[in-house]
Structures are given as C-alpha cells and as structure tokens.
Amino acid sequence: MSPRQTPLHEVHQRLGATFTEFAGWEMPLRYSGDTAEHNAVRNTAGLFDLTHMGELRLSGPQAAEALDYALVANASGIRVGRARYTMICDEAGGVLDDLIVYRTAEDEFLVVANAANAATVSAELTERTRSFRVDYTDLSSEYALIAVQGPAAPEILAPLTDTDLTQVRYFAGYPSKVADCDILLARTGYTGEDGFELFTSTADAATVWNALSESGAPHGLQPAGLACRDTLRLEAGMPLHGHELSTDLTPFHANLGRVVRLDKSADFVGRAALAAVAEQPPRRTLVGLRGTGRRAPRHGYRVLDNDGTEVGVVTSGAPSPTLGHPIAMAYVDRANAEPGTELQVDIRGKAAAAEVVELPFYNRNR
C-alpha cells in the first residue's frame, strides 16, 4: 500500500523536499540540508509539517476519569486551555507511547500521539474508555499540524493572529485564528526552542503554511524536515519512542518517573508494576554521552567501561550541529551513570572515548 500524503505534499514538492516513508506517511526528510535547517531553528526559525501525528478526542461527562484510568497522568488536574506531557503504559509498566494531552473544554480532551504508535494508542483508548460515559473519536484524518519553532517564532506568528502571544503560556492550547483560519494554537514543541503548533483543518493547511512562510521570510524562516527534527530533539535530550522509550522500558528507566502520578486517587493501567519500579530503581538508567572524537555513536552501539566490559547501549546518537561534537543518549548501568564518568563506545569494532554528561546537551536558557 502506498504511503499516505499530507495535505501539504504539493507544497513540499515545490520547495524541493527529499521525501522518506515514515510510519505509513510520505514525509519531507530535508529541503536545503540537515545542518542548515537545524541551524535555522536554533538561530531564527524552522517550519515543520507534522500532520502524521495522531489526534484523538475524548468528550463527555467522564472524559477526565477515563483518561485518569487510561494514562499515567492525573488528567483531572489539567485546567482548560492547558496541556500535559504524559504516557500510556501497558500492565507491566512498559511505555506504549508518550503523549501530549490538551484539555480543550471542561469535558473534552485532545490526545496527540506519535505517528508510529497512533493506531496502537487509538485501539488502547477505545478499549480502556469503554466502561466510561465518553465519546471517543479519532480525528487524525481531519487535522493538519504545522509547527513553527525557533527564537523568531513569536515575531513570525504575531502579524497573522489577534491572539496576544505573550499571554500564551508554555504547554497551553486553545482556539485561535491564524491567517483567518480557525486553529487550535499550542505552545509545546520538540526542538528545545520556543515555538508554536497549529492544529488546522486539512483544507486550511496550505493557507496557514503559506502565510507563515511569507511572514517568516524576512526573519530567515526555513522549511525543516524530519532529519533536523531528530538532531534538534537529541540536543534537547528529548526521548523518542523506539529509542529511549519502548514497551521493554518504564518511564522510570528514562528518568521520567515524574510523569507517573502514583499519588492520584484513581487506579490506572500499569499502576502496580510502576509502583514496584518506583520502589526498586532499574539497573540501567538514561544518560547523555559526549564524544571526544569525530565519529558519532549510533542507535544500538555498545557502551563499554575502560576494561572493555559492556555496561550499556546507545539509544540515539549524532554529530551535534550546535555543539560541534558527537552526542548520544544511552542506557548504562547505574554504577557508570555519574556525570564525568569516562566510558567508551564500540563504533564498528573500534573503541571511541565518551564522557557521561547531564541531559539536556543544549538548553536555550543557559
């Protein structure tokens, strides 16, 4: 079966994008080049098509209670107009996906799932909310999602909306208009920079994209593909499902135990298993690695101590365009997790020196 195309596919073609198949979608991988796009996001702004993400709506008198049971978050505590990063886990505490949940009304929520896991999350939510008084709708085919990320993002978006962007808080999301199109305006992001996500109808996607492109041209806005999105999120120390997160790992492995609300009154799927892990921390934990050579560690490469004993595995790695040296995230034994610990990575049979460092590698506020 041919991969799905976003409503912006022809726009990307005109911009000269190189495409790749990802999670059943044909998505822009790059336009001008990975490093140029990465640097645009860090220094000015980049424009992303994220329509491949899944959008799932729950509404009704027990919508909050249903999500309290289905997810590790305390959905009942999310205020209208705000959002929360959370996860959906299986009974053993393994991570099925990490999510962002927006409370769009008192009795309505929008759950945003990663593209590769959207079908799984949809099926799980259907099953887990069956005994609650809720209406569940998969809206993924009705939404386009555009993100403008980078320090110039507020200046680019401001002329296109009457919304006072200075009042849009981080992890907020509420109705707005951009280029006279109705959208859900959010401020979350996955790049380590400030920025906005615009949930719009598929029919309005090109109008919104073109308006942002025109407004952003004087600021150096560039279209940005999936390749630079990966290096940006890696520098920001943000996990990716299938790499830092999986059904074999709990949120506690990834140092994200804070998202698991064991103190909420409602029972939830995976609670007993996650409570046990909270009491007995996992043997391995997620750390950052700073490479000292030119070769970058990659997913699946073995991490060794200085005696050559395997003590972990790389989950993500790449040369850092911002920092100018290789970086990686890896799961290592806790005895080797202290920042400053000197380790090695087996890169195609050759040991490359690496140092454990604190995450994130890059923080725009530092």
Side-chain angles (χ1 to χ4, degrees), residues 163-206:
T163 299
D164 183 356
L165 299 180
T166 65
Q167 300 302 307
V168 180
R169 298 172 63 184
Y170 190 51
F171 268 74
Y174 47 80
S176 180
K177 277 186 177 289
V178 169
D180 294 323
C181 298
D182 293 322
I183 67 160
L184 175 69
L185 177 65
R187 196 171 200 165
T188 56
Y190 191 56
T191 64
E193 297 296 339
D194 191 13
F196 303 89
E197 294 72 48
L198 291 73
F199 296 84
T200 183
S201 70
T202 55
D204 289 336

Short mmCIF file of all heavy atoms in Angstrom, two decimals, residues 163-206:
data_model
loop_
_atom_site.label_atom_id
_atom_site.label_comp_id
_atom_site.label_asym_id
_atom_site.label_seq_id
_atom_site.Cartn_x
_atom_site.Cartn_y
_atom_site.Cartn_z
N THR A 163 -4.46 36.87 18.57
CA THR A 163 -4.10 36.34 19.88
C THR A 163 -2.85 37.03 20.40
O THR A 163 -1.86 37.19 19.67
CB THR A 163 -3.86 34.82 19.80
OG1 THR A 163 -5.06 34.18 19.37
CG2 THR A 163 -3.45 34.25 21.16
N ASP A 164 -2.87 37.44 21.65
CA ASP A 164 -1.69 38.02 22.30
C ASP A 164 -0.74 36.89 22.67
O ASP A 164 -0.95 36.19 23.66
CB ASP A 164 -2.12 38.81 23.54
CG ASP A 164 -0.94 39.50 24.22
OD1 ASP A 164 0.22 39.31 23.77
OD2 ASP A 164 -1.18 40.21 25.21
N LEU A 165 0.28 36.70 21.87
CA LEU A 165 1.18 35.56 22.07
C LEU A 165 1.96 35.66 23.37
O LEU A 165 2.44 34.64 23.87
CB LEU A 165 2.13 35.43 20.88
CG LEU A 165 1.45 35.19 19.52
CD1 LEU A 165 2.50 35.07 18.42
CD2 LEU A 165 0.57 33.94 19.55
N THR A 166 2.11 36.85 23.90
CA THR A 166 2.82 36.99 25.18
C THR A 166 2.03 36.35 26.32
O THR A 166 2.59 36.07 27.38
CB THR A 166 3.10 38.46 25.52
OG1 THR A 166 1.84 39.15 25.72
CG2 THR A 166 3.87 39.14 24.40
N GLN A 167 0.73 36.13 26.08
CA GLN A 167 -0.11 35.52 27.11
C GLN A 167 -0.29 34.01 26.90
O GLN A 167 -0.96 33.36 27.71
CB GLN A 167 -1.49 36.19 27.12
CG GLN A 167 -1.44 37.68 27.42
CD GLN A 167 -0.77 37.98 28.76
OE1 GLN A 167 -1.17 37.42 29.78
NE2 GLN A 167 0.24 38.84 28.74
N VAL A 168 0.29 33.47 25.82
CA VAL A 168 0.20 32.03 25.56
C VAL A 168 1.33 31.34 26.33
O VAL A 168 2.50 31.46 25.97
CB VAL A 168 0.30 31.72 24.06
CG1 VAL A 168 0.20 30.20 23.82
CG2 VAL A 168 -0.79 32.44 23.29
N ARG A 169 0.99 30.64 27.38
CA ARG A 169 1.99 30.03 28.24
C ARG A 169 2.52 28.73 27.63
O ARG A 169 1.91 28.16 26.73
CB ARG A 169 1.38 29.75 29.62
CG ARG A 169 0.93 31.02 30.33
CD ARG A 169 0.18 30.70 31.60
NE ARG A 169 1.02 30.01 32.58
CZ ARG A 169 0.56 29.54 33.74
NH1 ARG A 169 -0.73 29.70 34.06
NH2 ARG A 169 1.36 28.92 34.58
N TYR A 170 3.67 28.30 28.13
CA TYR A 170 4.23 27.02 27.71
C TYR A 170 3.31 25.90 28.15
O TYR A 170 2.78 25.92 29.26
CB TYR A 170 5.62 26.85 28.32
CG TYR A 170 6.41 25.69 27.78
CD1 TYR A 170 6.58 25.49 26.41
CD2 TYR A 170 7.02 24.78 28.65
CE1 TYR A 170 7.33 24.43 25.92
CE2 TYR A 170 7.77 23.72 28.17
CZ TYR A 170 7.91 23.54 26.80
OH TYR A 170 8.64 22.48 26.32
N PHE A 171 3.07 24.94 27.27
CA PHE A 171 2.12 23.85 27.47
C PHE A 171 0.71 24.38 27.68
O PHE A 171 0.00 24.02 28.61
CB PHE A 171 2.57 22.91 28.60
CG PHE A 171 3.39 21.75 28.08
CD1 PHE A 171 4.70 21.95 27.67
CD2 PHE A 171 2.85 20.49 27.94
CE1 PHE A 171 5.45 20.91 27.15
CE2 PHE A 171 3.59 19.45 27.42
CZ PHE A 171 4.89 19.65 27.02
N ALA A 172 0.33 25.25 26.75
CA ALA A 172 -1.04 25.73 26.65
C ALA A 172 -1.58 25.36 25.28
O ALA A 172 -0.82 25.07 24.35
CB ALA A 172 -1.11 27.24 26.86
N GLY A 173 -2.90 25.36 25.13
CA GLY A 173 -3.51 25.09 23.84
C GLY A 173 -4.98 25.49 23.85
O GLY A 173 -5.75 24.98 24.67
N TYR A 174 -5.34 26.43 22.97
CA TYR A 174 -6.73 26.85 22.93
C TYR A 174 -7.07 27.44 21.56
O TYR A 174 -6.18 27.74 20.77
CB TYR A 174 -7.03 27.85 24.04
CG TYR A 174 -6.05 28.97 24.19
CD1 TYR A 174 -6.08 30.10 23.36
CD2 TYR A 174 -5.07 28.92 25.18
CE1 TYR A 174 -5.17 31.12 23.51
CE2 TYR A 174 -4.16 29.94 25.34
CZ TYR A 174 -4.20 31.04 24.51
OH TYR A 174 -3.30 32.05 24.65
N PRO A 175 -8.37 27.59 21.26
CA PRO A 175 -8.78 28.05 19.93
C PRO A 175 -8.24 29.44 19.61
O PRO A 175 -8.15 30.32 20.47
CB PRO A 175 -10.31 28.06 20.01
CG PRO A 175 -10.64 27.12 21.11
CD PRO A 175 -9.53 27.26 22.11
N SER A 176 -7.90 29.63 18.35
CA SER A 176 -7.40 30.91 17.88
C SER A 176 -7.66 30.99 16.38
O SER A 176 -8.26 30.09 15.79
CB SER A 176 -5.90 31.02 18.18
OG SER A 176 -5.38 32.26 17.73
N LYS A 177 -7.23 32.08 15.78
CA LYS A 177 -7.28 32.23 14.32
C LYS A 177 -5.89 32.63 13.84
O LYS A 177 -5.23 33.48 14.45
CB LYS A 177 -8.30 33.30 13.91
CG LYS A 177 -9.73 32.82 13.82
CD LYS A 177 -10.63 33.90 13.26
CE LYS A 177 -12.06 33.40 13.09
NZ LYS A 177 -12.16 32.43 11.98
N VAL A 178 -5.46 32.02 12.75
CA VAL A 178 -4.21 32.38 12.08
C VAL A 178 -4.52 32.49 10.60
O VAL A 178 -5.09 31.56 10.01
CB VAL A 178 -3.11 31.35 12.33
CG1 VAL A 178 -1.91 31.60 11.42
CG2 VAL A 178 -2.67 31.39 13.79
N ALA A 179 -4.18 33.63 10.01
CA ALA A 179 -4.47 33.88 8.60
C ALA A 179 -5.96 33.65 8.31
O ALA A 179 -6.32 33.08 7.27
CB ALA A 179 -3.59 33.00 7.70
N ASP A 180 -6.80 34.09 9.25
CA ASP A 180 -8.26 33.97 9.15
C ASP A 180 -8.75 32.52 9.14
O ASP A 180 -9.90 32.26 8.75
CB ASP A 180 -8.79 34.70 7.90
CG ASP A 180 -8.60 36.21 7.99
OD1 ASP A 180 -8.76 36.74 9.11
OD2 ASP A 180 -8.30 36.83 6.96
N CYS A 181 -7.92 31.61 9.55
CA CYS A 181 -8.31 30.20 9.63
C CYS A 181 -8.45 29.79 11.10
O CYS A 181 -7.62 30.17 11.94
CB CYS A 181 -7.28 29.30 8.95
SG CYS A 181 -7.08 29.61 7.18
N ASP A 182 -9.47 29.02 11.41
CA ASP A 182 -9.66 28.52 12.77
C ASP A 182 -8.63 27.45 13.08
O ASP A 182 -8.44 26.51 12.29
CB ASP A 182 -11.06 27.94 12.94
CG ASP A 182 -12.15 28.99 12.84
OD1 ASP A 182 -11.93 30.12 13.34
OD2 ASP A 182 -13.21 28.69 12.26
N ILE A 183 -7.95 27.59 14.21
CA ILE A 183 -6.94 26.62 14.61
C ILE A 183 -7.03 26.37 16.11
O ILE A 183 -7.66 27.12 16.85
CB ILE A 183 -5.50 27.10 14.28
CG1 ILE A 183 -5.14 28.32 15.15
CG2 ILE A 183 -5.33 27.39 12.80
CD1 ILE A 183 -3.65 28.55 15.25
N LEU A 184 -6.36 25.31 16.55
CA LEU A 184 -6.02 25.13 17.95
C LEU A 184 -4.56 25.53 18.06
O LEU A 184 -3.69 24.91 17.42
CB LEU A 184 -6.21 23.68 18.40
CG LEU A 184 -5.76 23.38 19.85
CD1 LEU A 184 -6.67 24.07 20.86
CD2 LEU A 184 -5.72 21.87 20.10
N LEU A 185 -4.28 26.56 18.82
CA LEU A 185 -2.92 27.09 18.95
C LEU A 185 -2.29 26.52 20.21
O LEU A 185 -2.84 26.66 21.31
CB LEU A 185 -2.95 28.61 19.02
CG LEU A 185 -1.62 29.33 19.24
CD1 LEU A 185 -0.69 29.10 18.06
CD2 LEU A 185 -1.84 30.82 19.47
N ALA A 186 -1.14 25.90 20.06
CA ALA A 186 -0.45 25.29 21.19
C ALA A 186 0.98 25.81 21.26
O ALA A 186 1.54 26.29 20.28
CB ALA A 186 -0.44 23.77 21.05
N ARG A 187 1.57 25.68 22.45
CA ARG A 187 2.97 26.10 22.65
C ARG A 187 3.68 25.00 23.43
O ARG A 187 3.79 25.04 24.65
CB ARG A 187 3.01 27.43 23.41
CG ARG A 187 4.36 28.15 23.33
CD ARG A 187 4.27 29.55 23.92
NE ARG A 187 5.35 30.41 23.45
CZ ARG A 187 5.37 31.73 23.57
NH1 ARG A 187 4.35 32.35 24.16
NH2 ARG A 187 6.37 32.45 23.11
N THR A 188 4.11 23.98 22.72
CA THR A 188 4.82 22.87 23.37
C THR A 188 6.17 22.68 22.69
O THR A 188 7.15 23.25 23.09
CB THR A 188 3.97 21.59 23.32
OG1 THR A 188 3.64 21.28 21.97
CG2 THR A 188 2.68 21.76 24.11
N GLY A 189 6.25 21.90 21.63
CA GLY A 189 7.49 21.80 20.86
C GLY A 189 8.33 20.59 21.20
O GLY A 189 8.18 19.98 22.27
N TYR A 190 9.25 20.28 20.28
CA TYR A 190 10.08 19.07 20.40
C TYR A 190 11.48 19.35 19.88
O TYR A 190 12.15 18.49 19.36
CB TYR A 190 9.40 17.95 19.58
CG TYR A 190 9.94 16.56 19.77
CD1 TYR A 190 10.01 15.96 21.02
CD2 TYR A 190 10.37 15.82 18.67
CE1 TYR A 190 10.49 14.67 21.17
CE2 TYR A 190 10.85 14.53 18.81
CZ TYR A 190 10.91 13.96 20.06
OH TYR A 190 11.38 12.67 20.21
N THR A 191 11.90 20.62 20.02
CA THR A 191 13.19 21.02 19.46
C THR A 191 14.12 21.66 20.48
O THR A 191 15.29 21.89 20.18
CB THR A 191 12.99 22.03 18.31
OG1 THR A 191 12.39 23.23 18.84
CG2 THR A 191 12.11 21.45 17.21
N GLY A 192 13.60 21.98 21.66
CA GLY A 192 14.40 22.71 22.62
C GLY A 192 14.33 24.22 22.44
O GLY A 192 14.99 24.96 23.15
N GLU A 193 13.51 24.68 21.47
CA GLU A 193 13.33 26.10 21.23
C GLU A 193 11.89 26.50 21.52
O GLU A 193 10.99 25.67 21.62
CB GLU A 193 13.66 26.44 19.77
CG GLU A 193 15.10 26.18 19.38
CD GLU A 193 16.13 27.05 20.12
OE1 GLU A 193 15.73 28.12 20.66
OE2 GLU A 193 17.30 26.65 20.18
N ASP A 194 11.67 27.81 21.62
CA ASP A 194 10.32 28.31 21.72
C ASP A 194 9.62 28.08 20.39
O ASP A 194 10.26 27.93 19.34
CB ASP A 194 10.35 29.80 22.04
CG ASP A 194 8.98 30.36 22.42
OD1 ASP A 194 8.06 29.55 22.69
OD2 ASP A 194 8.84 31.60 22.46
N GLY A 195 8.31 28.05 20.42
CA GLY A 195 7.59 27.86 19.17
C GLY A 195 6.15 27.51 19.40
O GLY A 195 5.66 27.42 20.55
N PHE A 196 5.44 27.31 18.31
CA PHE A 196 4.00 27.08 18.35
C PHE A 196 3.63 25.93 17.42
O PHE A 196 4.26 25.71 16.39
CB PHE A 196 3.25 28.34 17.93
CG PHE A 196 3.57 29.54 18.76
CD1 PHE A 196 4.63 30.38 18.43
CD2 PHE A 196 2.83 29.83 19.91
CE1 PHE A 196 4.94 31.49 19.20
CE2 PHE A 196 3.14 30.93 20.68
CZ PHE A 196 4.19 31.76 20.33
N GLU A 197 2.55 25.23 17.82
CA GLU A 197 1.96 24.20 16.99
C GLU A 197 0.56 24.67 16.59
O GLU A 197 -0.18 25.16 17.45
CB GLU A 197 1.86 22.86 17.72
CG GLU A 197 3.22 22.24 18.04
CD GLU A 197 3.95 22.98 19.14
OE1 GLU A 197 3.35 23.26 20.18
OE2 GLU A 197 5.14 23.31 18.93
N LEU A 198 0.22 24.51 15.33
CA LEU A 198 -1.04 24.99 14.81
C LEU A 198 -1.82 23.79 14.26
O LEU A 198 -1.46 23.23 13.22
CB LEU A 198 -0.84 26.03 13.71
CG LEU A 198 -0.27 27.40 14.14
CD1 LEU A 198 1.22 27.31 14.48
CD2 LEU A 198 -0.44 28.40 13.01
N PHE A 199 -2.86 23.37 14.99
CA PHE A 199 -3.75 22.32 14.53
C PHE A 199 -4.83 22.97 13.68
O PHE A 199 -5.61 23.79 14.18
CB PHE A 199 -4.40 21.60 15.71
CG PHE A 199 -3.44 20.86 16.60
CD1 PHE A 199 -2.76 21.52 17.63
CD2 PHE A 199 -3.22 19.50 16.43
CE1 PHE A 199 -1.89 20.84 18.46
CE2 PHE A 199 -2.35 18.80 17.26
CZ PHE A 199 -1.67 19.47 18.27
N THR A 200 -4.85 22.64 12.41
CA THR A 200 -5.79 23.25 11.50
C THR A 200 -6.50 22.18 10.69
O THR A 200 -6.09 21.01 10.70
CB THR A 200 -5.07 24.24 10.57
OG1 THR A 200 -6.02 24.89 9.73
CG2 THR A 200 -4.04 23.53 9.71
N SER A 201 -7.56 22.55 10.00
CA SER A 201 -8.21 21.59 9.13
C SER A 201 -7.30 21.29 7.95
O SER A 201 -6.44 22.10 7.57
CB SER A 201 -9.55 22.15 8.62
OG SER A 201 -9.33 23.21 7.70
N THR A 202 -7.50 20.13 7.35
CA THR A 202 -6.69 19.79 6.18
C THR A 202 -6.92 20.79 5.05
O THR A 202 -5.99 21.11 4.31
CB THR A 202 -7.02 18.36 5.69
OG1 THR A 202 -8.42 18.26 5.44
CG2 THR A 202 -6.62 17.33 6.75
N ALA A 203 -8.14 21.31 4.94
CA ALA A 203 -8.44 22.26 3.87
C ALA A 203 -7.70 23.58 4.03
O ALA A 203 -7.38 24.24 3.04
CB ALA A 203 -9.95 22.52 3.81
N ASP A 204 -7.39 23.95 5.27
CA ASP A 204 -6.72 25.23 5.54
C ASP A 204 -5.21 25.11 5.65
O ASP A 204 -4.51 26.12 5.84
CB ASP A 204 -7.26 25.85 6.84
CG ASP A 204 -8.69 26.36 6.70
OD1 ASP A 204 -9.09 26.65 5.57
OD2 ASP A 204 -9.38 26.45 7.73
N ALA A 205 -4.67 23.91 5.55
CA ALA A 205 -3.25 23.69 5.81
C ALA A 205 -2.35 24.54 4.91
O ALA A 205 -1.41 25.20 5.39
CB ALA A 205 -2.90 22.22 5.66
N ALA A 206 -2.60 24.54 3.62
CA ALA A 206 -1.74 25.28 2.69
C ALA A 206 -1.83 26.78 2.95
O ALA A 206 -0.82 27.50 2.87
CB ALA A 206 -2.11 24.96 1.25
#
